[in-house]
Amino acid sequence: MAFSRDPLDSLVVPDGTEAQERDLVTDGDVLVGGRATVEFGVRGRNVLAGEASEFGGAIEADGDCRLDMWCDVTGNVLVGQDAYIGERVHIGGELKVAGDLDIGDDVEIEEGFEANGWIVIRNPMPTIVFLFVYLKHLLLIGEEDAAQRLISNLVDEADDDPEAEPLVIPRNATVGDDAWRVSTPATIGSDCRLHGNVRAETIDVGSESNIFGSLRARGDVTVGEGTRIHGDLTTRDGDVTIERDARILGDVSCADLELGPDAEIDGTIRADGEITMGTTDREIE
């Protein structure tokens, strides 16, 4: 495992994720980078948010919830296990924790809080920061084997439920009904139902998904089998691949375009390069 890899270097929407009326709902964990804005509420297994993240609704975590300092949550925070709430966090509703609560200074909870376990008021180091500091110390003193064992243990814990891929929202991203804006690559899984225009470096959409908005990228865009895009598909410099039975209800603008069998485009096609249709070698220039 590479130490330099950034776990928040792309937008990842796992299979089966739905943007419902008020909430973004997924079966796995929710990881939100620092200073990201999520205009929905979120519902998932464990919810972890970086410094100064904002949520426009409630947070419901079946497992643990960790909100770093200066986070802002408009609605309630409901936690099925333990919660860490960093200093100067604002919660517009109530906080309910089934397990232990570790809470920092100057936290504002407008409708009060309750926890069934221990309540500790302090400013502990966030878990992620502690792990990085500990790893750095091990490497500095030459304990590379111990550092590798620590990482291996963390990976094993993360792989306990390998089918539940986390929902990852990169730092400084904006996610809402109007648009999903990130400056990183975006991967959207299969059987997803999302609202909003997706803006990213590159975009890869899985099969049988419904995106009620347009796709716009600087690089390549792939639309999976049977997926519906209820808007335009535009890329500045990249190629577009639209797989079998997929449908674009708007216009398509790209460099090269590859259309799978029975793929449909309702609007205008603007391709600076080649257009390949079906599984044949036929090309239209």
Side-chain angles (χ1 to χ4, degrees), residues 41-188:
V42 296
R43 288 159 55 188
R45 185 172 56 184
N46 299 304
V47 178
L48 295 86
E51 180 178 310
S53 297
E54 298 182 8
F55 296 85
I59 293 176
E60 296 184 29
D62 294 334
D64 295 342
C65 179
R66 292 183 170 269
L67 304 179
D68 208 343
M69 61 181 67
W70 294 309
C71 283
D72 192 309
V73 182
T74 300
N76 300 325
V77 177
L78 309 178
V79 186
Q81 295 183 17
D82 300 332
Y84 161 84
I85 309 297
E87 62 181 340
R88 296 183 176 86
V89 167
H90 170 260
I91 297 174
E94 60 181 346
L95 170 65
K96 289 188 175 181
V97 182
D100 298 336
L101 172 61
D102 204 340
I103 190 168
D105 292 335
D106 298 323
V107 172
E108 181 181 1
I109 305 171
E110 295 189 7
E111 298 184 14
F113 70 92
E114 62 180 74
N116 290 334
W118 291 97
I119 299 175
V120 180
I121 300 175
R122 58 176 180 174
N123 286 319
M125 184 181 296
T127 303
I128 298 299
V129 176
F130 171 77
L131 290 174
F132 277 113
V133 170
Y134 184 44
L135 279 172
K136 182 178 179 181
H137 174 71
L138 290 175
L139 293 172
L140 286 174
I141 64 176
E143 294 289 342
E144 295 182 3
D145 291 341
Q148 189 59 53
R149 284 196 300 271
L150 175 61
I151 289 182
S152 296
N153 290 336
L154 293 173
V155 171
D156 290 341
E157 291 177 4
D159 288 343
D160 285 345
D161 188 0
E163 295 183 359
E165 184 181 14
L167 168 65
V168 180
I169 298 175
R171 59 179 57 87
N172 299 314
T174 299
V175 172
D177 264 333
D178 179 57
W180 296 51
R181 295 187 180 91
V182 299
S183 58
T184 66
T187 301
I188 299 171

Side-chain angles (χ1 to χ4, degrees), residues 17-19 22-26 40-43 167 175 180 194:
T17 299
E18 291 189 14
R22 297 181 179 178
D23 298 320
L24 194 57
V25 181
T26 186
F40 304 100
V42 296
R43 288 159 55 188
L167 168 65
V175 172
W180 296 51
L194 305 180

